[in-house]
Amino acid sequence: MTLWLVVFRSLRQHALSTIVTALSIALGGGLLMSVWAVKTQSSAVFTGVNGGFDAVLGARGAKLQLVLNAIFHLEASPGNIEWSDYQEIKNNPNVDLAVPIAVGDNYHGYRLVGTLPELFERAEYAPGRHYEFQPGGRIFDPTLREAVVGSFVAQKMNLNRGDVFHPYHGLIYNEKDQHSETYVVVGILMPSNTPADRVIWIPLEGIQRMTGHNPDNVTEVSAVLVKLKEGAAAAGFRLNTMYNKEGKRLTFAWPIGQVMVELFNKIGWVDSVLELVSYLVALVTSASILASIYNSMNERRREIAILRALGARRRTIFGAILLEAASISALGMAIAFLFYAIIMIVAAHIIRAQTGVVIEPMKFNQVMFWAPVALITLGALAGIVPALKAYRTDVAEYLSPSS
């Protein structure tokens, strides 16, 4: 009888405890891998998303709030800036592109952002990639009440080209705050997997002159998206000094990726807590292997004694128990990939719905290699104690007829 056959028969004989233990390992392993993958992917994606711009110029306030509002369309605007501020940075010789945006309205919770056609004509949301329209779509006419709808909004709100809608005042949807103006959808954007997918874009003046907005702010904008010319990193330092250190009225959030790193540094403790929970779950599930096999040792001692009487060596018995523990862990980790896939798909859906940022659930992550290796090794180590108990089984005692 081979070692594998001995292990297989033992697992089959204790099928219920084997399945329960394997499922607990699967849950712990799946949780550990998904927490790690979400953390690494979200950090890489959020610090890499910049909409094709290097910086954001806005009202005096926190850089993080400014970036979240202008790039990720999440936070409230820290305030407005004058049109002259936009023109000043636009005419800076080191600036390649400056696009103003204005916020303050929504459509059923999805943000309306006023901007200029340049955003679609010149900006590259990723290297070499411009915003593209679904067939028949086009950029809005800045003099008309027309709208370009992000792919995610169009899908969720069932908006199609030619549809007409009323905007609502504020960034939070309230059916009582409906504006009287109507906008016609002239274009649906192709998915860009960026926060732009969750936005409805309208002409800048559409936000500035919307009924109910303060007429004194008609020339103001919420922020300016800034792209520096290639090789103009030194200009970024100078603008950073000019606006943030020498000036007191505006904030220049540059570079955008570094600002987002600060966000992950602030919430890093959440990742640490989740990792700790995952490690504890893995440790507890490994302990369950020890308990499961150890508790079965008493009823298996006669079986072990027979194997010894048939010529099996002590080290063979010891190895069989370790292999059994490792096999339960391996079975659990195989199932863990199913839990991993489910958790990642749900997490990716939630992150996209809330931020527009897309993470790839099935993208390879190093944790998919080292976590199974670590947990299978941990499971095998958990089998040492019951293996020692089997190793010390007295053949004569357990082959003797019971009275």
Side-chain angles (χ1 to χ4, degrees):
M1 183 180 294
T2 65
L3 197 62
W4 285 105
L5 187 57
V6 172
V7 172
F8 175 74
R9 287 186 173 179
S10 176
L11 293 176
R12 188 177 61 180
Q13 185 177 357
H14 306 90
L16 180 60
S17 62
T18 297
I19 293 173
V20 171
T21 306
L23 285 177
S24 64
I25 293 172
L27 185 59
L31 186 62
L32 174 62
M33 291 192 293
S34 56
V35 166
W36 193 276
V38 168
K39 182 189 73 168
T40 53
Q41 273 206 55
S42 59
S43 176
V45 171
F46 275 90
T47 55
V49 169
N50 55 24
F53 295 91
D54 298 307
V56 180
L57 179 67
R60 197 67 170 176
K63 292 181 180 179
L64 181 58
Q65 181 184 5
L66 191 57
V67 170
L68 289 176
N69 173 64
I71 300 296
F72 292 91
H73 311 292
L74 293 176
E75 272 279 0
S77 171
N80 292 337
I81 63 175
E82 299 291 339
W83 183 257
S84 57
D85 295 319
Y86 156 64
Q87 290 180 313
E88 180 181 338
I89 197 164
K90 178 187 178 184
N91 295 327
N92 188 298
N94 294 302
V95 172
D96 181 50
L97 177 64
V99 179
I101 63 169
V103 299
D105 295 298
N106 77 94
Y107 177 66
H108 290 272
Y110 292 101
R111 188 170 296 198
L112 266 67
V113 178
T115 189
L116 300 179
E118 286 177 290
L119 179 70
F120 305 101
E121 295 168 343
R122 295 188 55 195
E124 295 180 352
Y125 67 86
R129 303 188 67 177
H130 294 270
Y131 292 109
E132 297 179 355
F133 290 85
Q134 293 183 10
R138 62 173 174 81
I139 302 174
F140 54 69
D141 184 330
T143 64
L144 300 177
R145 290 176 180 171
E146 295 180 340
V148 169
V149 181
S151 60
F152 188 81
V153 184
Q155 177 188 0
K156 289 297 182 183
M157 301 308 302
N158 195 27
L159 286 173
N160 296 294
R161 193 162 54 87
D163 287 350
V164 177
F165 66 90
H166 286 274
Y168 293 82
H169 183 66
L171 299 180
I172 299 175
Y173 172 64
N174 184 339
E175 61 180 358
K176 297 180 181 178
D177 294 333
Q178 186 183 70
H179 286 294
S180 58
E181 291 92 338
T182 57
Y183 280 79
V184 59
V185 178
V186 297
I188 307 292
L189 290 177
M190 297 289 283
S192 64
N193 293 336
T194 70
D197 293 346
R198 299 182 66 255
V199 171
I200 298 177
W201 305 90
I202 67 172
L204 187 64
E205 288 193 11
I207 294 286
Q208 293 173 322
R209 299 182 184 278
M210 195 82 74
T211 56
H213 289 188
N214 188 344
D216 295 336
N217 300 335
V218 73
T219 61
E220 296 180 349
V221 299
S222 301
V224 180
L225 308 176
V226 180
K227 181 173 179 55
L228 302 174
K229 291 182 178 177
E230 289 188 14
F237 282 104
R238 287 197 295 273
L239 290 171
N240 181 57
T241 301
M242 182 177 76
Y243 285 114
N244 298 332
K245 297 180 180 178
E246 298 175 356
K248 297 181 179 179
R249 194 170 56 82
L250 302 175
T251 293
F252 187 69
W254 172 88
I256 291 174
Q258 185 60 43
V259 174
M260 292 306 297
V261 168
E262 294 177 9
L263 170 63
F264 282 90
N265 289 339
K266 288 181 179 178
I267 63 173
W269 63 271
V270 177
D271 292 333
S272 300
V273 171
L274 289 176
E275 282 179 31
L276 179 61
V277 171
S278 301
Y279 292 143
L280 289 175
V281 170
L283 191 63
V284 169
T285 53
S286 297
S288 69
I289 296 177
L290 187 155
S292 173
I293 299 178
Y294 190 88
N295 290 336
S296 67
M297 279 296 102
N298 286 335
E299 61 185 84
R300 296 167 65 179
R301 283 191 166 182
R302 181 172 177 79
E303 175 187 338
I304 293 171
I306 293 174
L307 287 174
R308 289 285 316 285
L310 292 175
R313 299 180 177 180
R314 287 180 182 270
R315 63 186 181 188
T316 302
I317 300 299
F318 184 87
I321 300 300
L322 287 187
L323 186 59
E324 182 177 336
S327 298
I328 295 174
S329 292
L331 176 62
M333 288 311 299
I335 303 173
F337 281 96
L338 175 62
F339 286 101
Y340 169 81
I342 294 172
I343 295 172
M344 287 298 293
I345 290 172
V346 172
H349 176 76
I350 293 174
I351 291 174
R352 188 185 179 203
Q354 295 298 319
T355 68
V357 172
V358 174
I359 64 173
E360 302 177 42
M362 296 299 111
K363 183 179 181 180
F364 177 76
N365 189 296
Q366 290 184 347
V367 72
M368 299 167 75
F369 170 75
W370 65 256
V373 171
L375 287 184
I376 291 173
T377 303
L378 194 60
L381 293 175
I384 289 179
V385 173
L388 285 173
K389 190 173 184 180
Y391 182 89
R392 294 168 180 162
T393 299
D394 188 301
V395 177
E397 178 182 355
Y398 289 96
L399 284 181
S400 301
S402 56
S403 58

